Amino acid sequence: MAGKFKYGVSLYSFTDDFGSVMNVEDGFDHVADTGATGIEILGETHVTGYPRPTTQWVDKWFQLLEKHKLEPTNMCSWVDTKLRLSRNLTVEEGAAELERDLNLAHLLGFKFLRPKFGVVTSDLVPDPIWEPAVERVLDLAHKYGIVICPEIHSPTPIKHPVVDAYIEFIERTGTKNFGLLIDTGIFQDRPLPFWPQETPEMRKTALAFLDGIKVNPEEFLDIAKYVVFVQAKFHKINDNLEDENIPWPKVISALKRAGYDGYLSSEYEGRRDPWVAIDQVRRQHVIIRQLEKDFDEGRLA
Amino acid sequence: MVEHKFIQSSGFRNVGPEGAREGFEVRIRLPNYRGMRMSLFDGVDVTVDGETFPYEQNLIRLRDQTFNLAELREAADVRWELFEWGTVVVRKPGGLTPGIHRIAVCARVRSPYFPPEFQPSFVRDERLGTIVLP
């Protein structure tokens, strides 16, 4: 039998609650109460004093992990290649951004680091400095036992030059410290409701991907050996426990058949009214846990 | 803690000496879900009771530092964190009259990982706010 999933939650799920109706300590409680074993964070968002939190903050971080029986999974970071309007980052500066976040991720006990590189095209081709910048920090990542994993995120599908380039990099360097992170939003097959301030015109053009780019979950099997982490992106689970956008039975079936045994880390990205996210994450955990059970017991092929 | 809404209730006030007000300011929360370096921030348009004050002329204050647009675009060493509020300082001789005003803001944010057509992207909010002191 294939391995079992590990279940986590990203604090990103509670975006907009933070700062006004929730603090990071509350976030730990909501994550742990789903039965999750892993917590994912955004360094710049959830670490007070980022990138150099105080000793007291770090002590509290480990106390909270211990209290809630959680392990740090993935820390999200950014390489802001267009940090200034006047010029792009150099390779050295890009490598320094990665080094800064590897150091912090290591300090806090994370095993995965997701850098979000600046892009140069509408279909999210990263700034070409990504490759030499990553190559310069592979030794440091190796020393820390951290896997750097850019995310494959809508509107970028699996069959795309961006993914090909990441895989070529892994093959060329032979590194174990770089892999793919799959965001399940790429499998979205039904439209999202309009976001506040979004117009029908925007949805027809630049935001057309919000109707769903409908990647066939079977394509996961083609790249599974490079995938190290999965962000279980979702947008709305209704009162009948139906996800209105992500086809979970197909997604979970493909992940299981591919032998994926890493984290499914919930990433709620729906209505941002206060207090909505907590229960949405709980609903998602019911769905994905049930589907894994169905697969393991032969009810889902 | 900050208010859930982008534009905050407190912090909407006149600035400059009483009787010779130089303008007013509006307090906002971080217009993003991640703490960000100030250089990624590209100013804020403010509209009060239908009168628009464009981003090029407004100042941004974070903690004890104030930036004009040119300074903001190079301020790569200053970070605005999630739990902090910032202030938009608007020049308007005489300031605003005490009472209720309709405020709209449009923050301009550059997120390098967004496609080029979303540089900058806009974070907008609108609400009623109250000026207490003349």
Side-chain angles (χ1 to χ4, degrees):
Chain A
M1 194 178 81
K4 303 287 271 183
F5 296 148
K6 292 186 273 191
Y7 292 95
V9 180
S10 171
L11 290 186
Y12 171 78
S13 299
F14 309 125
T15 289
D16 281 21
D17 287 350
F18 280 117
S20 55
V21 298
M22 190 188 294
N23 61 31
V24 172
E25 193 164 345
D26 298 326
F28 270 78
D29 184 41
H30 298 309
V31 171
D33 204 61
T34 65
T37 58
I39 186 166
E40 177 180 3
I41 69 165
L42 318 181
E44 287 197 298
T45 304
H46 303 116
V47 178
T48 305
Y50 171 92
R52 283 177 295 279
T54 61
T55 309
Q56 290 93 320
W57 194 95
V58 176
D59 288 348
K60 181 80 180 174
W61 167 257
F62 284 106
Q63 282 165 19
L64 287 168
L65 290 172
E66 170 94 18
K67 175 179 170 189
H68 293 286
K69 304 281 183 285
L70 291 170
E71 66 169 346
T73 57
N74 179 43
M75 188 179 99
C76 295
S77 70
W78 283 263
V79 178
D80 287 313
T81 51
K82 194 78 182 170
L83 176 59
R84 297 172 191 82
L85 198 56
S86 55
R87 65 174 183 87
N88 285 12
L89 292 191
T90 62
V91 170
E92 290 73 20
E93 288 170 328
E97 302 244 312
L98 288 164
E99 195 177 320
R100 169 199 67 203
D101 290 310
L102 281 168
N103 287 334
L104 179 60
H106 175 63
L107 175 70
L108 301 180
F110 286 94
K111 293 297 165 203
F112 299 94
L113 177 74
R114 184 235 54 190
K116 197 99 169 158
F117 301 106
V119 302
V120 292
T121 64
S122 299
D123 60 348
L124 308 188
V125 171
D127 185 308
I129 73 159
W130 78 265
E131 189 163 357
V134 169
E135 200 154 357
R136 282 173 198 222
V137 301
L138 281 181
D139 286 347
L140 186 64
H142 180 73
K143 183 178 135 193
Y144 289 159
I146 291 175
V147 185
I148 299 169
C149 45
E151 72 187 84
I152 310 308
H153 187 289
S154 179
T156 307
I158 287 175
K159 288 179 180 156
H160 192 276
V162 171
V163 181
D164 297 342
Y166 289 148
I167 290 175
E168 277 165 30
F169 178 78
I170 296 167
E171 294 291 347
R172 175 173 70 75
T173 59
T175 183
K176 300 284 179 215
N177 296 98
F178 190 85
L180 301 179
L181 184 161
I182 293 294
D183 178 298
T184 57
I186 63 173
F187 305 120
Q188 180 201 327
D189 61 359
R190 284 148 290 162
L192 299 190
F194 279 32
W195 286 99
Q197 301 169 19
E198 190 191 344
T199 63
E201 199 48 44
M202 290 158 80
R203 181 59 68 96
K204 270 184 239 145
T205 53
L207 297 180
F209 70 92
L210 296 180
D211 282 342
I213 63 166
K214 307 180 184 67
V215 170
N216 183 348
E218 293 303 301
E219 292 177 22
F220 182 88
L221 283 94
D222 303 334
I223 53 152
K225 68 174 184 169
Y226 303 108
V227 176
V228 296
F229 200 82
V230 172
Q231 284 176 340
K233 167 71 59 59
F234 72 110
H235 309 86
K236 185 179 181 187
I237 295 171
N238 65 26
D239 297 350
N240 298 318
L241 203 64
E242 296 153 349
D243 190 303
E244 298 193 351
N245 316 100
I246 309 290
W248 289 112
K250 291 178 190 165
V251 172
I252 297 298
S253 167
L255 293 176
K256 291 297 285 186
R257 280 180 286 122
Y260 180 75
D261 59 0
Y263 265 100
L264 290 182
S265 187
S266 295
E267 231 196 25
Y268 170 68
E269 189 171 75
R271 208 155 56 85
R272 291 303 188 194
D273 299 356
W275 310 119
V276 172
I278 303 166
D279 201 58
Q280 284 286 315
V281 169
R282 298 173 71 85
R283 291 179 184 191
Q284 189 203 31
H285 275 241
V286 175
I287 291 177
I288 56 184
R289 284 169 187 274
Q290 184 61 48
L291 286 169
E292 177 172 37
K293 194 159 183 280
D294 288 348
F295 184 92
D296 289 345
E297 295 174 2
R299 291 184 298 275
L300 175 71
Chain B
M1 290 275 178
V2 290
E3 280 176 82
H4 189 263
K5 274 187 80 69
F6 178 37
I7 302 172
Q8 306 286 293
S9 300
S10 287
F12 182 44
R13 59 188 174 214
N14 285 314
V15 292
E18 203 174 330
R21 297 295 198 193
E22 291 152 6
F24 65 93
E25 51 187 44
V26 181
R27 186 183 292 179
I28 54 176
R29 66 184 289 180
L30 178 75
N32 206 339
Y33 65 90
R34 62 162 174 149
M36 57 191 244
R37 289 172 284 195
M38 293 300 275
S39 56
L40 291 173
F41 196 42
D42 206 55
V44 181
D45 292 317
V46 175
T47 302
V48 172
D49 303 329
E51 184 181 0
T52 296
F53 303 89
Y55 73 97
E56 294 96 326
Q57 278 128 54
N58 299 332
L59 305 176
I60 307 294
R61 191 172 71 240
L62 181 74
R63 295 168 229 138
D64 55 357
Q65 270 183 288
T66 304
F67 307 87
N68 64 28
L69 185 61
E71 291 162 342
L72 197 60
R73 286 174 172 169
E74 292 295 320
D77 296 329
V78 185
R79 280 187 184 275
W80 183 347
E81 293 203 1
L82 184 69
F83 289 75
E84 297 181 301
W85 40 259
T87 297
V88 190
V89 185
V90 179
R91 183 174 155 73
K92 177 179 167 61
L96 297 171
T97 54
I100 299 172
H101 299 269
R102 177 156 291 280
I103 319 164
V105 301
C106 173
R108 304 156 51 85
V109 178
R110 291 185 303 106
S111 297
Y113 64 97
F114 283 5
E117 59 267 33
F118 292 106
Q119 308 296 345
S121 50
F122 306 105
V123 178
R124 296 186 172 90
D125 191 22
E126 193 175 328
R127 66 171 289 171
L128 295 176
T130 304
I131 292 282
V132 180
L133 302 175

